[in-house]
């Protein structure tokens, strides 16, 4: 029985203009009111998606969000962490050296702010993110010695294609590298993805992955699509995501594909 619905944001729940359609919002609110947990899963911090949480009514004491692609499971209203994990400054030494060698930008994120590395090529991540987060330009040697959630390389798609091609086997062993958007490449702890955070949240409620339905479209959704009892790829999703999914939505994200699939699955409960 499905007790939790996990949703990626960009090109999944959201339209291309970064809004949630009325149809998607109505379907999810109805299921949430019926007792099904609705969990947004994103690489962003919770403050950057608060408007979406309010639109969906995910503001009760039992509502949680998976942020930083699984590194932080956070209670929506109190902002208390249910689970948190990440990387140390030392863990990023190899990545910093790689970015310096090739002239790539890099932003390192903890769970409260972003550190654009000032000793590397200037980053465009702040302009792309457009979120209420503090950006503190910092040289790598001056980063605080505490836990970080991930690092982000934000630049044009062709440059990221070249960066991916240049990654060494050692780097793939050190980091879980995912292309969350055409212009964003993320470096997480080697064993980290959205499925990790969802597993922790399911355990909190006494459930397992058989109770999970997960929607996604891109590489950073693959873990939760594979793990879920019902992994659902968007019709507009990447081929590898569709191949791994149990089902595919009947419509694309801009046509409320999430709501269309929910209607097929939960028909009577949405009427």
């Amino acid at each position: 029985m499905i007790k939790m619905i996990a949703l990626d944001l960009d090109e999944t729940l959201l339209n291309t203009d970064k809004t949630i359609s009325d149809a998607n919002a109505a379907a999810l609110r109805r299921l949430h009111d019926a007792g099904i947990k609705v969990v947004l899963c994103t690489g962003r911090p919770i403050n950057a998606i608060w408007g979406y949480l309010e639109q969906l009514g995910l503001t009760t004491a039992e509502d949680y969000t998976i942020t930083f692609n699984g590194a932080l499971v956070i209670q929506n209203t109190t902002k208390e962490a249910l689970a948190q994990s990440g990387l140390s400054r030392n863990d990023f030494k190899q990545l910093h050296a790689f970015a310096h060698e090739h002239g790539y930008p890099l932003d390192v994120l903890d769970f409260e702010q972003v550190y654009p590395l000032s000793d590397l090529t200037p980053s465009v991540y702040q302009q792309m993110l457009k979120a209420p987060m503090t950006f503190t330009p910092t040289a790598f040697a001056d980063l605080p010695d505490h836990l970080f959630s991930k690092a982000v390389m934000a630049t044009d798609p062709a440059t990221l294609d070249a960066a991916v091609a240049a990654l060494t086997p050692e780097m793939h062993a050190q980091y879980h590298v995912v292309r969350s958007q055409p212009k964003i490449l993320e470096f997480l702890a080697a064993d980290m993805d959205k499925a990790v955070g969802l597993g922790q949240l399911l355990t909190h409620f006494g459930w397992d992955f058989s109770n999970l339905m997960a929607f996604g479209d891109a590489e950073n959704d693959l873990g939760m699509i594979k793990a879920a009892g019902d992994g659902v790829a968007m019709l507009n999703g990447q081929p590898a995501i569709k191949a791994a999914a149990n089902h595919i939505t009947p419509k694309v994200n801009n046509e409320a594909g999430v709501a269309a699939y929910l209607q097929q699955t939960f028909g009577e409960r949405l009427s």
Side-chain angles (χ1 to χ4, degrees):
M1 177 186 293
I2 298 300
K3 299 181 180 181
M4 182 181 294
I5 299 172
L7 301 118
D8 170 57
L9 293 180
D10 295 311
E11 306 303 318
T12 299
L13 178 61
L14 303 184
N15 292 329
T16 302
D17 64 4
K18 307 299 184 184
T19 61
I20 301 177
S21 68
D22 290 342
N24 279 348
L28 290 167
R29 287 186 72 106
R30 206 164 289 137
L31 292 171
H32 181 257
D33 290 345
I36 293 178
K37 302 298 180 191
V38 175
V39 181
L40 302 189
C41 300
T42 178
R44 307 174 200 175
I46 194 168
N47 289 344
I49 63 164
W50 187 251
Y52 301 140
L53 297 174
E54 288 188 318
Q55 183 180 356
L56 298 175
L58 305 181
T59 55
T60 77
E62 292 294 297
D63 287 317
Y64 291 81
T65 297
I66 309 299
T67 61
F68 300 103
N69 279 325
L72 178 64
V73 183
I74 189 169
Q75 205 286 320
N76 292 354
T77 53
T78 66
K79 307 299 192 296
E80 292 182 2
L82 175 69
Q84 179 175 303
S85 57
L87 296 148
S88 69
R89 179 180 61 188
N90 189 60
D91 290 327
F92 289 118
K93 281 185 176 180
Q94 182 178 187
L95 177 58
H96 176 259
F98 173 79
H100 185 269
E101 177 186 356
H102 294 277
Y104 299 140
L106 207 61
D107 294 78
V108 178
L109 291 76
D110 59 18
F111 298 94
E112 297 180 357
Q113 64 178 309
V114 183
Y115 300 90
L117 295 187
S118 58
D119 54 346
L120 298 176
T121 299
S123 172
V124 297
Y125 187 54
Q126 184 171 6
Q127 297 94 298
M128 291 183 62
L129 189 61
K130 297 179 181 178
M133 286 192 78
T134 299
F135 280 72
T136 306
T138 307
F140 181 75
D142 297 327
L143 283 175
D145 190 13
H146 63 211
L147 193 67
F148 295 93
S149 62
K150 63 180 179 179
V152 170
M153 193 177 288
T155 184
D156 63 274
T159 299
L160 288 187
D161 289 343
V164 170
L167 292 172
T168 65
E170 292 77 18
M171 294 185 71
H172 280 295
Q174 175 79 12
Y175 311 107
H176 179 200
V177 185
V178 293
R179 190 84 167 260
S180 57
Q181 296 183 38
K183 296 182 179 181
I184 295 180
L185 187 66
E186 304 197 13
F187 296 82
L188 311 167
D191 58 352
M192 181 55 59
D193 70 14
K194 293 177 181 180
V196 173
L198 285 166
Q200 292 164 327
L201 186 56
L202 286 162
T203 298
H204 171 73
F205 286 113
W207 305 332
D208 60 33
F209 280 104
S210 69
N211 302 122
L212 178 69
M213 175 186 289
F215 289 85
D217 74 295
E219 186 179 342
N220 64 328
D221 304 316
L222 184 59
M224 69 176 184
I225 293 290
K226 286 183 172 180
D230 189 10
V232 186
M234 299 303 295
L235 183 59
N236 53 283
Q238 297 173 1
I241 307 305
K242 292 180 180 179
N246 301 106
H247 297 98
I248 297 173
T249 60
K251 297 181 179 181
V252 299
N253 65 307
N254 285 329
E255 298 173 344
V258 167
Y261 184 79
L262 293 175
Q263 185 65 49
Q264 286 182 353
T265 308
F266 297 100
E268 292 183 0
R269 301 173 75 169
L270 291 175
S271 59

